[in-house]
Amino acid sequence: MSWSGERSKKTAEALWSWLPDVLQNIDPWLSSLDISAGSRGVREITDELSETNFGIICTTPENQSSTWVNFEAGALSKQVDGGSVVPFLIDMKVADLISPLSQFQAVIGDSKADVQKLLFDINDASGDKIPRERLERAFLRCWPEFEEKMRSINTLPSRDGRSGELERSEADMTEEILLIARQLDHRMTEIERYALRAEGASRRPSREIRRISEERFISSSFTKIGWEAVRSSWVDESVVIVAHSLSDSERKLSRDFVERIAKSLAREVVVLGESGEVIARSNLP
C-alpha cells in the first residue's frame, strides 16, 4: 500500500490492519509499519515492489501530484497487470483524478460497493482464493468498522487546507483524456500486433484501430463533464455526436470544450440532441 501525507497514511494503516480480518489469505505490506528501524527504506521498498502482485495507492486531493506516489504507481504498473494497481480515493471523486493515476481503475474509499469489489479483485489475484460467498459474509460483518474509520479520516483537514472539491477546467480534463486515449491506442495496437502475429492472421487496418480509440476518447470526454455521448458517426470530414446531459438541469456545452474535441480529432464536430437538434458545432472547416 502506497501513501503520502497524513490522511493517506492513516487510510493505508487502516487498510493494513483491516484487510487481513476479511481476507485471511493476504499479507499486506506498508512501509511505515513493515520497515524496521535502521533498515535502508528506499532499498526495502523497491525490493517489496518487485515482489508485489497487487498495489493500492491511497490517494487524496493533495497528494495525487506527489512525486513519491507517482513513483510507486509507476513501479507497480511495471510489475503487475494494469488492473491490479488501484487508486483508493479519500475525500474525492473518480473525476478528480489526474494523470497518470487516472489511467488506473479507481475505487471510492467510503463506498461500500467499491470496497467490496476491491476485495473481490484482491481475492481473485491471490493464489489461494477464498470462496466468494464466505468472503462476502466476512466483508458484511467487518464493513461497519472500516466505514467508521473512513468517516473519521475524511473529516481530517488536509495539510494545505484544501478540501476534496477540486475545480478542474474542461480543457484540463479533455487534454488528459486525449493523452489516455492515445496510450490506449498504442497499447491496443501492440496487443493486436502480437496476437495476430501468433495466429498468423492479417493485421486489422490501423484506421479501424484509430476509430475505436477516437470513440473511447469522445465517450470519456463527455462523461467527464457530466454528459453521455450516445453514439458517434463519421460523415465526410465531420464527426456527428449524439449526446445528452446526465443531470436534471441541461448543462450547456461550452464552445471551448467542443473546439478542443474538434482539434483533438482534427475534424469538424457537430453535437446533436437525441431529437436531432444541433446543440453545438465547432468552427473548424
Side-chain angles (χ1 to χ4, degrees):
M1 281 167 288
S2 173
W3 61 271
S4 175
E6 188 63 22
R7 293 198 295 175
S8 176
K9 179 183 178 183
K10 287 186 177 297
T11 300
E13 291 174 346
L15 285 167
W16 182 86
S17 63
W18 181 76
L19 282 175
D21 291 342
V22 189
L23 282 167
Q24 296 81 20
N25 59 341
I26 67 169
D27 182 22
W29 190 88
L30 178 63
S31 61
S32 61
L33 298 177
D34 290 322
I35 294 180
S36 57
S39 297
R40 296 178 63 184
V42 174
R43 173 73 175 274
E44 192 164 340
I45 289 173
T46 303
D47 291 343
E48 189 66 29
L49 286 174
S50 68
E51 300 175 2
T52 295
N53 63 357
F54 202 105
I56 298 175
I57 312 293
C58 296
T59 309
T60 62
E62 63 270 18
N63 83 355
Q64 61 174 325
S65 296
S66 160
T67 302
W68 182 250
V69 163
N70 286 297
F71 161 75
E72 290 195 323
L76 282 167
S77 67
K78 291 178 182 179
Q79 296 295 333
V80 302
D81 293 336
S84 296
V85 179
V86 179
F88 192 88
L89 307 187
I90 305 146
D91 194 25
M92 61 187 295
K93 306 183 292 294
V94 174
D96 295 331
L97 273 177
I98 59 176
S99 187
L101 293 180
S102 58
Q103 65 187 290
F104 301 111
Q105 190 69 37
V107 301
I108 306 296
D110 55 5
S111 166
K112 183 177 181 180
D114 275 18
V115 176
Q116 183 179 41
K117 184 180 183 305
L118 172 64
L119 292 179
F120 287 158
D121 290 344
I122 296 174
N123 189 48
D124 290 341
S126 66
D128 183 19
K129 294 183 183 180
I130 296 174
R132 179 162 289 214
E133 296 78 10
R134 181 151 62 92
L135 175 55
E136 186 170 5
R137 289 196 300 270
F139 170 76
L140 293 175
R141 183 174 61 252
C142 297
W143 169 251
E145 174 192 353
F146 186 73
E147 182 181 33
E148 181 59 32
K149 287 182 179 179
M150 286 305 303
R151 186 178 293 117
S152 62
I153 291 171
N154 281 340
T155 61
L156 294 175
S158 64
R159 185 175 62 182
D160 57 8
R162 286 185 292 180
S163 69
E165 293 297 321
L166 299 182
E167 290 295 330
R168 302 187 62 200
S169 69
E170 290 179 349
D172 172 48
M173 291 188 289
T174 305
E175 288 173 359
E176 177 189 328
I177 295 165
L178 177 58
L179 172 62
I180 295 171
R182 286 172 176 165
Q183 291 172 340
L184 288 172
D185 189 7
H186 175 72
R187 291 180 64 185
M188 185 185 298
T189 302
E190 291 299 312
I191 291 171
E192 190 163 84
R193 178 184 299 134
Y194 286 115
L196 293 177
R197 183 183 300 166
E199 297 172 1
S202 60
R203 185 178 175 187
R204 178 185 293 182
S206 59
R207 181 180 298 178
E208 184 178 345
I209 295 174
R210 179 176 176 82
R211 181 65 52 81
I212 294 172
S213 178
E214 289 176 340
E215 288 176 348
R216 290 181 176 176
F217 166 63
I218 291 169
S219 176
S220 298
S221 297
F222 275 80
T223 300
K224 280 279 190 178
I225 64 167
W227 279 64
E228 179 184 9
V230 179
R231 60 182 178 276
S232 306
S233 57
W234 277 249
V235 181
D236 297 327
E237 296 301 317
S238 301
V239 179
V240 179
I241 304 169
V242 178
H244 66 86
S245 174
L246 294 174
S247 61
D248 294 334
S249 58
E250 284 289 324
R251 179 184 177 185
K252 292 185 178 180
L253 293 176
S254 72
R255 172 65 63 84
D256 182 63
F257 174 78
V258 177
E259 291 295 340
R260 285 182 174 274
I261 294 287
K263 182 178 180 181
S264 298
L265 298 174
R267 295 180 178 88
E268 179 191 36
V269 170
V270 180
V271 183
L272 305 179
E274 292 186 283
S275 59
E277 77 281 9
V278 176
I279 297 176
R281 181 191 298 268
S282 69
N283 288 329
L284 287 182

